[in-house]
Amino acid sequence: MEALLLGIPYVAADDAGHSEIHARWGGGRVLPVPADADAYATVCREVLANPDAVRLSMERRREVHAELSPDRHGVDVMNVYRSMQR
């Protein structure tokens, strides 16, 4: 998440929520869990050679920041509480 918010392309395992992050926001590459070190090295070299191929645009980064902001989180939590009152 930190790399995503900073606009730094990431390489991650398709595990522990990374696949969901990648599917929702993009900004990097994910590899299957059984990928070995050589596979990671290959993808890292590809990303380093052409980071703009996966890097989020500034406009998209602003959208992601807004979606993940503390203010937005507070609104979302309060909406959950309101829905439980009905």
Side-chain angles (χ1 to χ4, degrees):
M1 289 301 298
E2 292 81 4
L4 174 71
L5 290 170
L6 292 172
I8 300 168
Y10 57 84
V11 175
D14 191 7
D15 193 15
H18 299 141
S19 56
E20 290 84 0
I21 291 166
H22 181 71
R24 186 166 184 163
W25 296 294
R29 299 267 307 270
V30 293
L31 285 92
V33 173
D36 61 13
D38 289 337
Y40 275 93
T42 298
V43 172
C44 286
R45 280 193 298 269
E46 291 170 0
V47 170
L48 288 169
N50 189 11
D52 290 336
V54 293
R55 182 177 296 157
L56 298 179
S57 69
M58 187 55 88
E59 180 180 341
R60 183 68 179 126
R61 282 179 56 203
R62 284 187 195 106
E63 293 169 1
V64 172
H65 274 266
E67 191 172 341
L68 298 174
S69 74
D71 290 339
R72 170 70 183 266
H73 180 70
V75 168
D76 291 346
V77 168
M78 292 308 296
N79 286 338
V80 169
Y81 290 145
R82 285 186 192 101
S83 72
M84 294 168 63
Q85 291 177 332
R86 296 178 192 159

